[in-house]
Amino acid sequence: MVSVHVMAMRCAHHLANADDLAQHDSAARALGRLARTFPAQIEALNRYRSHGEPANTVQNVSIGDGGKAIVGNVMQHSSVIVSDKNPASVARKVPKAARSRRGRDSADAKREAQA
C-alpha cells in the first residue's frame, strides 16, 4: 500500500510537469489506475483484519426497567421462535428433540404454566 501511494504521488508529479500530450496521457492513465488500487487495498485489508465477517451495527436500543439484553451472536432454532406469550403453549410447540435438549428449561416452563 505504501508503494502504491508513493507511485501515485510520483505519477501526480509527472502529470503536473508533463511537457507533451503523450506524457500527460501516460501519467494520467497510471495515476487513475493507482488511485483505484489504493482504496481496493484498504478494503481488502479491512476484510482480512475482520476475518471476512461483516460489521454489525446496532442502533436505537432501549431496555426498560428489569429488562435483559444479550450482546453477541445468538443462535436459535427456527421452530423455537414463537410469538405466543403463554409458556404452556410455547412448551407444546417445541419439538420433542428440542425439549430433551432444554431439559431444565422445559420443566421450569411447565411449573410456570401450572402457577
Side-chain angles (χ1 to χ4, degrees), residues 11 14-31:
C11 287
H14 289 300
L15 181 61
N17 297 325
D19 294 331
D20 60 354
L21 188 60
Q23 288 179 348
H24 183 273
D25 287 344
S26 175
R29 197 174 323 111
L31 179 59

Side-chain angles (χ1 to χ4, degrees), residues 25-68:
D25 287 344
S26 175
R29 197 174 323 111
L31 179 59
R33 288 179 182 169
L34 290 167
R36 285 190 306 268
T37 301
F38 191 77
Q41 288 177 327
I42 289 176
E43 184 180 336
L45 180 62
N46 288 336
R47 275 195 317 266
Y48 174 75
R49 286 180 177 170
S50 68
H51 303 291
E53 297 173 4
N56 294 328
T57 304
V58 178
Q59 297 176 351
N60 300 328
V61 176
S62 63
I63 301 171
D65 292 338
K68 296 180 181 179

